[in-house]
Amino acid sequence: MTSRTLTRSTQLRQIAAICLALSGSTVAAEPAITPPSEPWSEKTLINPVFHEDFSGRLELQRLQALIDAGDHLFNARFTTLDGVGRPMATQAIIPTKRKRASRAAFSRTAGADANACSSCHNVPIVGGAGDFTANVFVSEGFQHTDFDTTDPQFSNERNTNHLFGSGLVELLAREMSTELQTQRSSALRQARESGNMTTLELSTKGVNFGKIHAYPDGRVDPDDIEGVDQDLVIRPFSHKGVMTSLRQFTINALNHHHGMQAVERFGKRWTGQSDHDEDGHIDEIGPGDISALVAWQASLPPPFPKTPPDKRWQDAAAAGKTHFEQAGCHSCHRSSLPLESLDFADPGRLDAAGTLRLGEGTDTLYPLALLEWAGRLPRDEDGRYLIPLFGDLKRHRIADQKLSALGNELLSQRFVERNVFMTTELWGVASTAPYGHRGDLTTLAEVIDAHGGEARSARDAWMDMTEQQRSEMIAFLKTLVIQP
Amino acid sequence: MMVRATLATTSATTSATTSATTSATTSATTLVTTLVTTLVTTLVTTLATTLLAALLTGSALAGEQDDLPEPFTGDIPLMIEESAAAGITHSYEGPWEYFVGGGVSTFDCNQDRLPDMYLAGGSQPAALFINRSATAGPLQFELVENTSLALDRVIGSYPLDIDNDGYQDLMVMRVGENQLFKGAADCRFTPANVVWNFSGGNAWTTAFSATFEPGNAYPTLAIGNYVDRAAPGSPWGTCHANELHRPGGATESAKALPDYSNALPLEPGYCALSMLFTDWNKSGSDALRITNDRQYYRGGQEQLWRLDSGRYPRLFGAAEGWEPVVIWGMGIAEADLNADGYPEYALTSMGDTKLQVLDLQQAIEENRPHYDDMAWDRGATAHRPYTGDDLKPSTGWHSRFEDLNNDALLDLFITKGNVEKMSDFAAFDPDNLLLGTHNDTFSEQGLAAGVALDRRGRGASITDFNADGLLDIVVVNRGANISLLRNQGMSGPQGPRAGGNWLKLALQQKGDNRHAIGARVSIKTGNRVQSRRLQVGGGHASGNAGFVHVGLGVAERATVRVQWPDGQWSAPYKLFANHHVIIERGKDTIMQWFPVTPLH
């Protein structure tokens, strides 16, 4: 029985039940499916999270309740009873109709391609990265709405990233975006006051993002901006660095991988339909459930470097860290970035229409400082949290003519060129093999070998190291673990 | 239809059942009891019958309720009227000649890229107001004293850069001599009829449009005139001829200054109330569409003049596919609703608005401008007031397609207002805000949006006065202060909220036609393509110049291409939403623009 006919028959029973109830009959309609309240129900969205129940600054108990709900959803193997499948919708971030219904509900290429979030994010534990088998095929879903080939001209094959520390990553990106936009405002103000064109370096948390040229009349030349989109919004998520927030990423992923369409993007407000994917389920997943998923991801502990069990490894790792820095790896893979506040607002300020924005629903604050792991974050003399991500939240050209393995894609994504990627945060790298955007490099040494483009000099320094030095550098990287 | 038929049937059943039951009962108590029982039973039966019938026909719960209007599920902009608070007191006044007209120009005259405002006053002086609004804040305007623009007998105006100096000039339409004004920095305007050899005539001018014909340095000006009051038998059947002012020859000396000494009459004139140069057949060459007022013409109709790049104009006739349409034509709005390159037109009238869609087969195969009226099918007739008790026909004036809720669907705004105590037409006749829907129809939301004011609207302009990406509206009212409607955001359960994403685009090219009049802009988001064209003319005696606004819905990015007026396409520009962008011809990169108080 298809979901459509199931829905129709369900409707028929519901109407009959209404009629019987109105006419005073005590005979109840026979339920077609096991009620969600039964423990053997095949429905997984059993207790929807009501957004309004979680407003304002949450205290620990409420935060934990939301996180628990998110844990259930992240691990839930969604079923057709929940709304899995998108027969008439593509994987695109903008609600887009298929021209015809897909023949198969699931497809490893155009999706839907997973049963649960945790199907892919599970290395070494749930919330982690994915094996090569968990690669996804990223296509905008516009030109190639449906494809049954893994030929790279149709999509980019990507390995699954881990999510640990992702709340901190988003907070860093928000603070950095705000600072960059403030610098743009400063440049404009200076230009207006001086009457002359003003050029200003864009720099935040020690990371340089090029220059901006402001004119007295309010014009801005953004052509020399580097490593971030011209709107100066750092989009920290995905290999490409094109997702603004956990919330946006979650909505995209639910549609892409499961055909679970979030009301705040695919609902009536933006599509005119309650059942945009035409699978017979209306309003499949509400803003409260999305918030729960965001809270769960944002609260995942950051990977803290481990202290090796023996002195020999400790010494090797210490030496390796020195080699890492001397080679210049740390110019992009920065050991830490300072963060002012652990207050995670959901929704955040930077999301655009189609992802819940401030004032559109329930505004919530998750004080991540309440979580156990927050106390383990190192702080600088100004009290700022030093987030040990080994990244810079900046996009770089990572391939060149001779070393093109990491520029192995044919399609640009969301205006980002094919050989440009966000610096991979190395925290947790020891626990998340394989490596590279496609997950086709099995060792750390291989992926370092493959660095080209802006990373070429660091990679060449790595190649010039002695065998022992290279071994020590691996020893260092192997301390960057996700600890269960 | 099925739902309606079913409802009618069950309603009849209800009446019959109730009637039979009533006649068979004598006791009052029994009567009440029986009635209650019967009503409940009937209600249940009716409900069940209706629902089941609808279900079996596959309509009710699937949201396919045929011609029953579906509730609007998109964003409704909240428009707050704040003309007084903004510092504007200005109405359009005067006797019969000023029953029509009442236009406004919105354009930047002080080079801050915010739209300023020039308001016609009819028998009262026109007025120029400088925009002092803070970004995203309440609207604020300052009257310019001692300006040469403060003329009386002004019907309306249109801004355009006639002499290619980068400053917006003004065509001021009047009862009597029309006046071209040369614009300069800081909102200084000087009369330019003499220096540009432009004869302002002595007609009653009610329509205007301009285009840059291929090979000409300066724009061709079309002027639409109304009743010739001096003609015998006036006003009936005495429509004045219209005029075409082509710039002087292509010699170098002629290019030094605009020269409009050689005007052509466009005869017959049928009392034009709006005109628009339009590339109806995607040929790259504009024709001139004129909407005419049947109130005064005899044997007239709507008109489409063929210009053919400098040739003597001639009218499309029935033999060429142009079907006579006879309406009280008041205003023209153009949009390419399906981005196929062939524009659609909304024509306001007394009674129903027309929404004309080109017959593509006739257009492509035979170059015939044959149009079908799709207003009824698309819910855009706007033929009578949508609120209040007055069921008499409406009187429509200005019309304009824009996206006021930024959902990537064009909306249609129409000003309404009784001509002057015409008892056969609605007295309370609120302006329309027809919001576009995802099934290519329009949904009237003027009441919810706050534009249903008891005023007699005439000309109008839709533009973003406070640079927040949300389009605001100014309406010139007859006998009342203007309506200055600030778009506060979208209606939400907790008050105004942000709408969809947006882009605002300004085009520039060097040399002639600096503001790229005639250019097309193609905006691609995902699979969806929207189209805009830069034009001068249309509406009702009102024009706008400045940023082109595009709603993007949930798209964060858009790929934009420009087809410049000479037909050449630009490379694609990759733009991020919620920004003002300046595109200069020949440059691969863009410039952003930020108002004084930057929006993050």
Side-chain angles (χ1 to χ4, degrees):
Chain A
M1 184 182 284
T2 66
S3 60
R4 178 170 289 278
T5 55
L6 176 67
T7 302
R8 180 57 52 80
S9 64
T10 304
Q11 288 170 347
L12 190 60
R13 274 189 293 278
Q14 287 169 342
I15 290 165
I18 292 167
C19 295
L20 287 167
L22 285 170
S23 62
S25 169
T26 55
V27 181
E30 182 188 351
I33 55 171
T34 304
S37 55
E38 299 292 1
W40 57 89
S41 170
E42 293 188 276
K43 188 173 169 63
T44 60
L45 282 174
I46 299 170
N47 298 309
V49 176
F50 295 105
H51 209 202
E52 54 275 18
D53 290 348
F54 294 90
S55 68
R57 187 184 186 89
L58 302 185
E59 36 77 31
L60 184 57
Q61 191 179 6
R62 298 299 295 152
L63 177 58
Q64 193 57 54
L66 194 61
I67 291 170
D68 290 346
D71 184 63
H72 168 76
L73 290 166
F74 197 85
N75 287 284
R77 294 188 174 275
F78 298 116
T79 71
T80 52
L81 302 180
D82 303 308
V84 151
R86 44 177 169 81
M88 284 304 293
T90 77
Q91 67 275 25
I93 186 170
I94 301 171
T96 303
K97 289 280 191 183
R98 280 184 157 127
K99 289 179 180 170
R100 62 193 71 82
S102 58
R103 283 174 293 179
F106 282 87
S107 158
R108 288 289 292 118
T109 51
D113 59 0
N115 302 105
C117 307
S118 58
S119 302
C120 301
H121 291 282
N122 56 29
V123 174
I125 54 174
V126 170
D131 205 347
F132 187 82
T133 50
N135 278 4
V136 299
F137 295 88
V138 178
S139 167
E140 299 278 29
F142 304 131
Q143 280 77 25
H144 312 300
T145 57
D146 205 357
F147 54 97
D148 56 6
T149 173
T150 57
D151 187 316
Q153 69 178 304
F154 293 100
S155 67
N156 298 321
E157 184 176 1
R158 299 266 175 81
N159 192 227
T160 304
N161 283 333
H162 79 78
L163 300 167
F164 287 90
S166 55
L168 299 173
V169 169
E170 183 166 343
L171 287 176
L172 281 169
R174 290 180 189 179
E175 288 185 1
M176 293 168 80
S177 300
T178 300
E179 192 170 1
L180 292 176
Q181 292 174 353
T182 302
Q183 288 167 10
R184 181 177 61 199
S185 299
S186 298
L188 280 163
R189 192 162 41 250
Q190 287 179 34
R192 282 187 171 113
E193 288 170 1
S194 68
N196 298 313
M197 190 266 278
T198 300
T199 296
L200 220 60
E201 294 277 339
L202 292 167
S203 177
T204 173
K205 299 190 188 296
V207 182
N208 184 281
F209 287 89
K211 289 179 288 191
I212 199 162
H213 312 288
Y215 292 81
D217 63 357
R219 287 177 301 145
V220 165
D221 180 352
D223 203 35
D224 290 330
I225 292 173
E226 295 173 3
V228 61
D229 291 324
Q230 291 192 345
D231 58 0
L232 299 180
V233 173
I234 291 177
R235 296 177 165 88
F237 298 118
S238 80
H239 285 291
K240 207 72 172 174
V242 290
M243 301 295 176
T244 307
S245 65
L246 288 171
R247 193 167 193 100
Q248 184 192 37
F249 178 82
T250 299
I251 293 167
N252 299 347
L254 282 168
N255 177 60
H256 182 160
H257 302 305
H258 314 305
M260 295 290 294
Q261 297 201 310
V263 175
E264 66 194 76
R265 171 86 53 78
F266 298 90
K268 274 195 165 187
R269 182 182 180 197
W270 297 117
T271 67
Q273 294 181 297
S274 298
D275 181 18
H276 175 260
D277 59 11
E278 301 184 35
D279 64 356
H281 288 265
I282 63 170
D283 297 339
E284 288 172 357
I285 189 160
D289 286 327
I290 301 296
S291 292
L293 281 162
V294 170
W296 185 82
Q297 293 170 87
S299 65
L300 285 173
F304 289 102
K306 76 171 182 181
T307 304
D310 62 80
K311 178 83 169 48
R312 198 167 69 88
W313 188 354
Q314 289 171 10
D315 292 343
K321 187 166 190 286
T322 303
H323 304 325
F324 181 84
E325 291 168 355
Q326 286 177 340
C329 305
H330 74 311
S331 65
C332 297
H333 295 289
R334 297 186 180 229
S335 58
S336 68
L337 292 176
L339 179 67
E340 301 284 347
S341 169
L342 292 180
D343 284 348
F344 188 100
D346 182 29
R349 183 183 65 81
L350 298 172
D351 272 315
T355 302
L356 202 70
R357 292 167 291 183
L358 285 169
E360 285 191 322
T362 302
D363 297 337
T364 314
L365 201 72
Y366 313 144
L368 301 184
L370 297 176
L371 301 173
E372 177 277 327
W373 51 257
R376 288 189 276 146
L377 288 171
R379 303 178 80 159
D380 66 10
E381 60 274 17
D382 297 322
R384 298 182 300 178
Y385 300 93
L386 297 174
I387 310 303
L389 76 169
F390 288 93
D392 61 357
L393 301 185
K394 181 181 176 182
R395 290 192 294 244
H396 298 271
R397 189 170 54 83
I398 195 63
D400 55 38
Q401 283 285 1
K402 290 185 176 175
L403 293 170
S404 58
L406 293 180
N408 54 357
E409 298 182 344
L410 292 183
L411 303 174
S412 63
Q413 185 185 11
R414 296 186 189 143
F415 296 173
V416 183
E417 294 299 322
R418 44 184 287 206
N419 58 350
V420 174
F421 290 87
M422 177 66 81
T423 301
T424 299
E425 293 91 36
L426 296 184
W427 57 2
V429 71
S431 307
T432 55
Y435 305 112
H437 315 123
R438 190 168 172 265
D440 52 4
L441 300 168
T442 62
T443 66
L444 288 165
E446 286 174 63
V447 73
I448 299 169
D449 287 350
H451 279 55
E454 294 175 44
R456 184 61 185 274
S457 62
R459 176 262 185 193
D460 289 346
W462 151 263
M463 297 300 286
D464 290 341
M465 290 180 194
T466 65
E467 280 300 318
Q468 182 180 345
Q469 288 172 324
R470 292 168 68 170
S471 175
E472 288 167 344
M473 198 160 120
I474 299 298
F476 160 64
L477 292 172
K478 281 290 189 180
T479 65
L480 305 179
V481 297
I482 295 170
Q483 293 181 339
Chain B
M1 281 303 186
M2 178 56 72
V3 171
R4 272 193 174 167
T6 309
L7 286 170
T9 306
T10 51
S11 175
T13 308
T14 307
S15 293
T17 310
T18 308
S19 176
T21 308
T22 306
S23 65
T25 310
T26 50
S27 157
T29 310
T30 310
L31 177 65
V32 171
T33 309
T34 307
L35 268 174
V36 171
T37 308
T38 306
L39 282 171
V40 169
T41 308
T42 308
L43 176 66
V44 170
T45 310
T46 305
L47 183 63
T49 309
T50 306
L51 289 173
L52 286 171
L55 180 74
L56 291 171
T57 58
S59 60
L61 296 183
E64 300 164 2
Q65 298 190 8
D66 291 345
D67 56 349
L68 288 179
E70 294 183 8
F72 184 72
T73 60
D75 277 343
I76 299 173
L78 293 175
M79 313 297 294
I80 180 171
E81 205 291 306
E82 55 185 32
S83 55
I88 300 181
T89 303
H90 186 91
S91 61
Y92 184 68
E93 307 281 355
W96 177 57
E97 287 89 342
Y98 308 103
F99 287 4
V100 298
V104 53
S105 280
T106 50
F107 63 106
D108 173 30
C109 67
N110 61 350
Q111 294 74 53
D112 63 358
R113 295 191 187 270
L114 294 179
D116 307 301
M117 192 188 305
Y118 178 59
L119 296 160
S123 60
Q124 303 297 310
L128 178 65
F129 287 88
I130 303 299
N131 188 349
R132 304 292 188 200
S133 308
T135 305
L139 304 186
Q140 195 64 46
F141 285 84
E142 177 186 338
L143 177 67
V144 178
E145 307 281 1
N146 302 320
T147 173
S148 57
L149 297 180
L151 301 173
D152 63 2
R153 295 183 289 147
V154 173
I155 291 282
S157 62
Y158 287 83
L160 76 161
D161 180 6
I162 292 175
D163 59 351
N164 301 320
D165 63 354
Y167 296 109
Q168 293 289 342
D169 308 311
L170 266 181
M171 162 65 187
V172 178
M173 303 141 57
R174 302 177 71 215
V175 178
E177 185 186 22
N178 295 319
Q179 185 66 58
L180 295 178
F181 283 95
K182 176 177 166 56
D186 301 324
C187 299
R188 287 178 289 114
F189 291 89
T190 52
N193 282 8
V194 172
V195 68
W196 292 344
N197 288 321
F198 174 77
S199 169
N202 195 31
W204 176 2
T205 296
T206 45
F208 176 77
S209 186
T211 186
F212 283 80
E213 293 189 80
N216 286 351
Y218 301 110
T220 295
L221 314 178
I223 289 171
N225 296 319
Y226 204 49
V227 174
D228 183 351
R229 296 160 296 157
S234 176
W236 314 109
T238 59
C239 294
H240 211 292
N242 299 318
E243 306 160 28
L244 189 71
H245 298 252
R246 279 181 160 140
T251 63
E252 283 306 309
S253 59
K255 290 187 73 170
L257 281 176
D259 176 5
Y260 291 107
S261 54
N262 295 317
L264 300 172
L266 293 174
E267 293 182 299
Y270 292 135
C271 294
L273 283 179
S274 183
M275 56 198 342
L276 182 62
F277 281 108
T278 178
D279 187 7
W280 69 274
N281 59 351
K282 215 162 65 169
S283 65
S285 178
D286 279 345
L288 179 64
R289 180 180 255 269
I290 307 178
T291 192
N292 296 310
D293 185 5
R294 66 178 289 182
Q295 185 75 12
Y296 294 117
Y297 64 62
R298 292 288 177 268
Q301 57 173 285
E302 298 290 283
Q303 292 171 304
L304 183 65
W305 287 92
R306 186 171 181 157
L307 297 176
D308 290 340
S309 301
R311 292 187 185 170
Y312 200 89
R314 64 183 179 86
L315 278 170
F316 277 98
E320 295 158 301
W322 180 254
E323 287 201 353
V325 173
V326 177
I327 59 174
W328 290 274
M330 308 282 204
I332 305 173
E334 173 181 323
D336 186 2
L337 295 172
N338 57 356
D340 65 353
Y342 298 96
E344 286 74 43
Y345 305 93
L347 307 174
T348 54
S349 180
M350 299 175 80
D352 61 315
T353 295
K354 306 292 182 190
L355 181 57
Q356 294 195 325
V357 179
L358 185 64
D359 181 327
L360 283 185
Q361 188 172 359
Q362 293 197 44
I364 294 169
E365 295 179 2
E366 304 172 69
N367 200 36
R368 291 163 65 88
H370 180 89
Y371 287 86
D372 297 317
D373 180 17
M374 303 296 287
W376 175 259
D377 300 300
R378 299 197 181 186
T381 52
H383 53 283
R384 70 182 188 203
Y386 50 87
T387 184
D389 298 326
D390 198 336
L391 298 182
K392 293 175 185 173
S394 273
T395 308
W397 299 88
H398 186 87
S399 58
R400 178 76 185 171
F401 289 101
E402 289 287 357
D403 186 353
L404 281 107
N405 54 2
N406 289 335
D407 62 355
L409 302 168
L410 278 171
D411 312 312
L412 177 59
F413 178 74
I414 302 171
T415 63
K416 292 283 183 65
N418 195 291
V419 174
E420 187 74 7
K421 297 175 183 171
M422 289 185 74
S423 58
D424 289 340
F425 290 84
F428 170 61
D429 200 1
D431 300 337
N432 297 92
L433 182 55
L434 293 149
L435 297 182
T437 73
H438 290 273
N439 58 4
D440 296 331
T441 62
F442 293 90
S443 175
E444 176 60 63
Q445 297 298 329
L447 184 63
V451 307
L453 307 177
D454 188 9
R455 297 175 183 176
R456 284 180 290 153
R458 291 294 190 267
S461 184
I462 303 176
T463 189
D464 179 8
F465 285 117
N466 57 357
D468 60 357
L470 297 169
L471 288 171
D472 312 298
I473 301 174
V474 57
V475 180
V476 178
N477 296 305
R478 179 168 163 76
N481 199 24
I482 65 159
S483 304
L484 186 59
L485 299 154
R486 177 164 67 92
N487 191 336
Q488 288 187 300
M490 306 304 136
S491 173
Q494 302 163 35
R497 60 182 180 179
N501 299 318
W502 52 272
L503 263 179
K504 287 169 66 180
L505 307 166
L507 305 186
Q508 292 179 353
Q509 58 179 3
K510 289 190 166 60
D512 306 333
N513 191 7
R514 291 193 182 187
H515 300 283
I517 300 304
R520 276 195 183 85
V521 186
S522 168
I523 306 101
K524 190 166 188 295
T525 50
N527 273 359
R528 182 179 182 79
V529 177
Q530 297 187 69
S531 180
R532 299 285 191 274
R533 188 159 190 250
L534 279 70
Q535 292 165 291
V536 178
H540 186 75
S542 302
N544 176 54
F547 284 102
V548 175
H549 172 275
V550 188
L552 299 181
V554 300
E556 287 184 303
R557 306 161 177 78
T559 302
V560 171
R561 294 184 74 202
V562 178
Q563 187 180 29
W564 296 97
D566 63 4
Q568 286 193 21
W569 281 98
S570 75
Y573 296 97
K574 298 173 178 178
L575 305 180
F576 287 87
N578 305 327
H579 280 75
H580 296 76
V581 171
I582 301 165
I583 295 175
E584 190 171 338
R585 185 170 187 171
K587 291 195 173 176
D588 295 334
T589 57
I590 54 96
M591 296 284 268
Q592 300 168 328
W593 177 77
F594 294 87
V596 173
T597 313
L599 292 172
H600 285 303

